[in-house]
Amino acid sequence: MDSHLLPFIIFLIAVTFTPLLSSAAPATPCQSNCGSLQIKYPFGTSYGCGSPRFEPYIACKSNQLLLTTHTGSYLITAISYKDSTLTITPSAMSTCNSMQQSPNLGLDWASPFQLGPSIFLLLSCTPPTSSLTIKGSPVCDPSSTHLCATIYTCPAVVNLGLPLFPPTNTCCVYSPANFNSKGELDLREMKCKGYASIASFQDSPTDPSKWMYGVTLKYTNGGFDDYYMNNKCNTCEDSGGICGYSPPTNSFLCICNSGFNATTDCYNNYNPVQDYEDLIGTSTSLSTQKIMLGLWVGLAFYIAA
């Protein structure tokens, strides 16, 4: 073989098979579980997993699923795929057993998350909270002050500089809650030291030690996750695969246990030739295909000559 031909052959092989190699599973394998949580679309455990719209905010680290925003990282303790909600438990949030001063809690406006139906209790505020307003509108719900009296029976209130059984005019039931223009629950602006968020009363509305504390968030899928994409993902997950995407075009991939990705599902054993044809048909322009075909035909004639 002509030695001058070798670099040209290597180039053709690289151009031809690079797309196929790029369809292998991500460097950090996508997982169907993170700790005790089942991970399904649109969530993912790392880059290339789930929906690209969720990837900047959701990751699995040390078997803990975390939501990261501009105000910090928060442990996700529950996901309802039926209701499109998740529950986070900020480490600085107060509960009946542990009360502490809290930094601001926030969400990124560009993220697919927004506040859900949680009940926020603002704690150790400058009295009286009945005068607390935001842009002239009252903040506290006067019909729910009994929740303040209930949580103030917890001995941990002393950690907020309050006496045992403090007056309820230092507490505010902020429901429905809203974040400010920065996307934050600004405790300093409202002159409160801490907050508790009730995700569920657990059938014990008068026993704050049994309440489920956490911030419930709603999520929306967005344009990438349209009806067509959701159907493809359902088929992928039904076949034992994990839904992901291929940067930079963010085209859909079904990540299979075989260690390779498919463009449809994992029902059939991985077929490199078929998958390569699928990738060419969906990710490579027709003109590129013609150029590659021409190069191979030209090489064949050159060798034959």
Side-chain angles (χ1 to χ4, degrees), residues 242-255:
I242 299 175
C243 300
Y245 58 94
S246 176
T249 60
N250 294 341
S251 56
F252 174 80
L253 288 177
C254 184
I255 300 160

Side-chain angles (χ1 to χ4, degrees), residues 176-221:
N178 286 299
F179 286 166
N180 63 14
S181 58
K182 296 180 180 179
E184 298 179 10
L185 177 68
D186 194 338
L187 296 173
R188 304 290 87 80
E189 179 183 0
M190 293 186 283
K191 300 179 180 179
C192 300
K193 291 183 179 179
Y195 73 93
S197 179
I198 306 168
S200 171
F201 290 111
Q202 299 285 79
D203 296 324
S204 301
T206 60
D207 187 351
S209 67
K210 295 182 180 179
W211 293 351
M212 178 186 292
Y213 294 91
V215 180
T216 302
L217 304 177
K218 296 184 292 185
Y219 63 86
T220 54
N221 290 344

Side-chain angles (χ1 to χ4, degrees), residues 38-201:
Q38 182 185 22
I39 306 303
K40 298 175 60 177
Y41 194 77
F43 295 94
T45 54
S46 62
Y47 185 67
C49 310
S51 165
R53 190 161 183 256
F54 284 62
E55 185 275 329
Y57 311 101
I58 302 292
C60 182
K61 299 180 180 179
S62 301
N63 283 325
Q64 292 185 325
L65 195 66
L66 300 176
L67 167 67
T68 299
T69 74
H70 67 281
T71 55
S73 293
Y74 307 106
L75 179 65
I76 299 174
T77 53
I79 301 175
S80 172
Y81 294 99
K82 177 183 177 182
D83 300 326
S84 297
T85 62
L86 61 86
T87 302
I88 59 173
T89 54
S91 58
M93 177 185 67
S94 291
T95 67
C96 184
N97 296 324
S98 174
M99 295 193 183
Q100 57 194 311
Q101 294 193 31
S102 307
N104 290 356
L105 170 70
L107 295 173
D108 297 354
W109 287 118
S111 77
F113 306 102
Q114 56 183 313
L115 279 176
S118 299
I119 299 174
F120 280 86
L121 304 182
L122 307 183
L123 307 173
S124 192
C125 305
T126 301
T129 51
S130 58
S131 63
L132 182 58
T133 60
I134 295 180
K135 295 182 179 180
S137 300
V139 168
C140 307
D141 179 6
S143 66
S144 300
T145 55
H146 63 282
L147 296 178
C148 287
T150 302
I151 199 170
Y152 270 1
T153 63
C154 300
V157 294
V158 297
N159 296 332
L160 289 172
L162 296 170
L164 292 173
F165 305 103
T168 57
N169 66 352
T170 62
C171 172
C172 169
V173 180
Y174 188 22
S175 180
N178 286 299
F179 286 166
N180 63 14
S181 58
K182 296 180 180 179
E184 298 179 10
L185 177 68
D186 194 338
L187 296 173
R188 304 290 87 80
E189 179 183 0
M190 293 186 283
K191 300 179 180 179
C192 300
K193 291 183 179 179
Y195 73 93
S197 179
I198 306 168
S200 171
F201 290 111

